[in-house]
Amino acid sequence: MIREGRLGRGFDKEVALYTSSLGFDRGLLEYDIYADMAHALMLHRQGLLDGGDAKRILALLKEILEKGLDERDLDPDMEDIHMAVEARLTRELGDAGGRLHQARSRNDQVATDLRMKARDDVNALSKATSDLISTLLATASEHTGTVMPAFTHLQHAQPTTLAHHLLSYADSLLRSMERLDEVYRRIDRCPLGAGAVATTSHPIDREMTAGLLGFAGVLENSMDAVSTRDYMVEAAAAAVLIAMDLSKMAAELVIWSTPEFSYIELADEVASTSSIMPQKKNPDVLELIRARYGTAAGGLVSLLTILGALPQSYNRDLQEASPAFFSLIEGVTSSLSVMSKVIRTMKVNAGEMKAASTRDFSTATDLADLIVKERGLPFRTAHQIVGAMVSMAIKEGVEPGQVSSELLDRAAESVAGEKLGLSEEAIKAAMDPVLAVKARSITGGPAPEDVEKAIKERQRELKKREQTLRERESRLNEARKRLLESVSSILEA
Ligand code: ARG
């Protein structure tokens, strides 16, 4: 159709298939129809499309919106979804169908469709993030007293609680929601009317189409409007950070589910088994969540690489960014939802967590702190004394719970040349992981009352973010309703 003017011969079949975006831009159909409707309404109001043609076009668009395209329209060597819709319009309406493309280009059309889809996709991603945060907070609130070791270098470091640990992920995911809120605001600008690159001489009304499509405003400079996909990079980066949190959580949960740790047990419905080893309960689902971070990060690199070094304008390279973006966002959204399921259904072995933190010397810092508080020694000296004591205890087979005043004094003498004379009870208390956690009643620390407060605060913040999200979604729904009402009022006139 568009080839018949400039190009003599038909498109080479192989090249047509190679260049077509129909394989993935079918997902844009609904958005393309809305944008077509808005454009037709605007052309009509501006006196650029007469009432009869406007009616015919809008009626058919409405039918396509309701019933989709036929297979006939979706000929695989069709260049893209925009051509597929136009082919249908001209096939059924003849000349009237050919009038719709006045004062626009596929360049501003695809840029508009993509932003409309990105709004919905970012909203779905935010929703899935919010669901996981809410799952983490609910689980955390059951475990503010579940003591476990906090790790650094995957070595027991200091005692904490499962709630404190889960809250660390919730906080990180909340920042990602904040990023998505910001990206959304930048996505929400309408490129339609930018034309191919330099707008049009027809007296169009860009503000009107932007409003009909529920955008907060127009994306002004027409060259910028057709070429930028910066929001894809931003949203993808935000999504990749979410996937990074998920991969870390997955990696930890895989370790925690081993018999060596036994901190958690996965529910049967999210676990796999082996085709040969009948005893196996495997965390395949977590391994895939972990791996899909790699796929998402790869998608971000694809976007960055595809979008760089292009002359500032529309280039067909831009088409290649779309599927990378779609599958990245879709992949992270589904990982989030599956992770929520895993966390909601897993069994926490609080006894094992607690036991692990009494088997180790993870309260050594607390003992050094006691020496500083009771004897006024510099922390560095106390650190050396406790280090020497731990080394002796390990050599002599003394358990952390059995550390005596005598052992500590031997270490103190070897390091500082004098005894400390601390009481057995004081030492026991300092080395009790439950008390060590309680003692860390510092902003951001693991003490149960502080974590409980923090959880409540996060729940309030999450509610606000969910509210913002619901408002965004309802603005889009209302815009869609209004657009369809405008269409109906023309059809009924
Ligand atoms: N399928 C194309 C894309 O996704 C639509 C725009 C084509 N424009 C063009 N001038 N060839 O970018």
Side-chain angles (χ1 to χ4, degrees), residues 144-170:
T144 52
T146 304
V147 170
M148 65 176 285
F151 296 83
T152 60
H153 314 272
L154 199 54
Q155 302 287 334
H156 289 200
Q158 294 176 335
T160 186
T161 65
L162 179 59
H164 187 236
H165 191 114
L166 295 177
L167 191 59
S168 73
Y169 282 116

Side-chain angles (χ1 to χ4, degrees), residues 279-330:
Q279 85 285 9
K280 291 281 264 173
K281 183 164 189 181
N282 286 334
D284 297 34
V285 61
L286 291 168
E287 294 165 321
L288 287 168
I289 292 176
R290 185 168 63 186
R292 285 192 192 159
Y293 160 67
T295 307
L300 176 60
V301 173
S302 297
L303 284 175
L304 291 169
T305 318
I306 292 163
L307 297 174
L310 300 179
Q312 176 70 321
S313 181
Y314 181 84
N315 300 273
R316 192 66 178 269
D317 310 52
L318 294 179
Q319 174 177 298
E320 197 72 2
S322 303
F325 182 63
F326 297 164
S327 64
L328 191 162
I329 302 293
E330 212 276 310

Side-chain angles (χ1 to χ4, degrees), residues 143-151 156-166 169 252-253 256 261 263-264 348-358 360 362-363 433-434 436-437 446:
H143 291 287
T144 52
T146 304
V147 170
M148 65 176 285
F151 296 83
H156 289 200
Q158 294 176 335
T160 186
T161 65
L162 179 59
H164 187 236
H165 191 114
L166 295 177
Y169 282 116
E252 274 182 353
L253 294 173
W256 290 5
F261 270 77
Y263 285 6
I264 58 150
V348 173
N349 195 347
E352 201 42 55
M353 290 183 173
K354 167 90 185 295
S357 45
T358 41
D360 63 11
S362 66
T363 47
V434 175
V437 163

